[in-house]
Amino acid sequence: MTGPTDFAALLQRLLDVEVEFILVGGLAANVHGSARATFDVDVVYRRTGDNLDRLVRALAPVQPYLRGAPPGLPFVLDAGTLRRGLNFTLTTAIGDIDLLGEVVGGGDYDALLPQSASIEMFGRSCQCVSLPTLIRLKRAAGRPKDLEAIAELEALREEREHD
Amino acid sequence: MAPLPVSLEPDPVIEAYKKDVDRTLLRENLKLSPEARLRKLQDFVAFTAVLRDAGRRSRT
């Protein structure tokens, strides 16, 4: 991938084949109103057999490959690969995407689902983690680089409460 | 895997960072729909790619 991530195209691919996923990370923050830039799509995906098949169907046509890995590795994104792993940082022909089986502080898809909301985008419904849970996830990750992002998300929550 | 309990009590470090958050940007974003926020991000990311390419060309 050489160009910028096409967020809409990546999300639409997942929505087209009804992948069960929850938007998290920087893109979820932007959906809630964050003004910080992000350059990839982070999703927590459901690890059922059917959903792994849908995920492969969505992404296989855009040549997913391990982000940052040297070229030429025998990496194939199929249901077996997904089953044997958990979290994948991928690059594709239309941008970068992180497929997360679990997230620190949030657990897996089923644990996170009640902490998410359906958001209308591109004429479709997309599950997006709630703002309080996004703050909780960022805090749980405990990364110094997230401190400014957490501060912004908390300010965002205050602004929404004042509305 | 169950979610870990994480406190949302005020954290002094985060509170210190919060003072520098530009809330005018947040208020503008809150006027937009989620889809419009995503399109705005897309425009910004595309712009940074143009700048990056221009910088790369200027060095060669």
Side-chain angles (χ1 to χ4, degrees):
Chain A
M1 215 277 298
T2 52
T5 294
D6 188 337
F7 302 112
L10 269 171
L11 290 177
Q12 280 174 319
R13 291 202 74 82
L14 300 178
L15 294 170
D16 278 349
V17 295
E18 299 179 349
V19 173
E20 292 172 288
F21 71 94
I22 301 167
L23 196 58
V24 296
L27 198 58
N30 268 265
V31 165
H32 284 298
S34 164
R36 295 174 69 82
T38 189
F39 297 91
D40 65 359
V41 176
D42 300 309
V43 300
V44 173
Y45 65 100
R46 195 174 203 191
R47 286 180 58 80
T48 58
D50 285 350
N51 202 49
L52 300 187
D53 290 339
R54 288 192 285 264
L55 204 43
V56 170
R57 209 156 61 240
L59 295 180
V62 290
Q63 298 95 45
Y65 192 70
L66 298 169
R67 192 154 79 237
L73 294 180
F75 175 78
V76 177
L77 186 76
D78 58 19
T81 300
L82 289 172
R83 205 171 293 116
R84 286 189 293 273
L86 183 66
N87 295 340
F88 299 84
T89 55
L90 302 175
T91 188
T92 77
I94 56 172
D96 295 342
I97 183 166
D98 292 354
L99 305 178
L100 308 170
E102 290 179 359
V103 282
V104 175
D108 61 14
Y109 175 91
D110 291 305
L112 204 53
L113 190 60
Q115 314 299 322
S116 71
S118 178
I119 286 181
E120 290 300 313
M121 288 194 296
F122 319 113
R124 316 281 256 297
S125 293
C126 178
Q127 287 299 128
C128 182
V129 71
S130 71
L131 183 55
T133 301
L134 187 56
I135 294 169
R136 202 169 282 124
L137 296 181
K138 291 269 185 195
R139 280 194 175 204
R143 299 178 299 192
K145 70 167 190 165
D146 284 338
L147 288 170
E148 281 185 60
I150 297 169
E152 193 214 31
L153 293 174
E154 293 195 358
L156 193 53
R157 192 175 54 162
E158 290 168 6
E159 290 296 323
R160 283 178 17 167
E161 283 168 2
H162 291 157
D163 271 356
Chain B
M1 182 179 153
L4 297 172
V6 178
S7 167
L8 283 182
E9 290 298 305
D11 176 300
V13 177
I14 293 169
E15 292 303 311
Y17 276 113
K18 211 188 282 183
K19 294 188 189 107
D20 294 324
V21 172
D22 185 344
R23 289 175 184 253
T24 63
L25 296 175
L26 304 184
R27 288 173 195 141
E28 286 306 305
N29 280 350
L30 287 174
K31 293 175 189 167
L32 305 173
S33 69
E35 184 175 327
R37 292 170 198 156
L38 199 145
R39 291 195 189 285
K40 185 177 167 187
L41 171 68
Q42 188 74 67
D43 289 345
F44 175 76
V45 169
F47 177 60
T48 62
V50 169
L51 288 181
R52 195 177 53 239
D53 288 347
R56 198 175 292 139
R57 278 198 304 276
S58 73
R59 289 193 296 273
T60 56

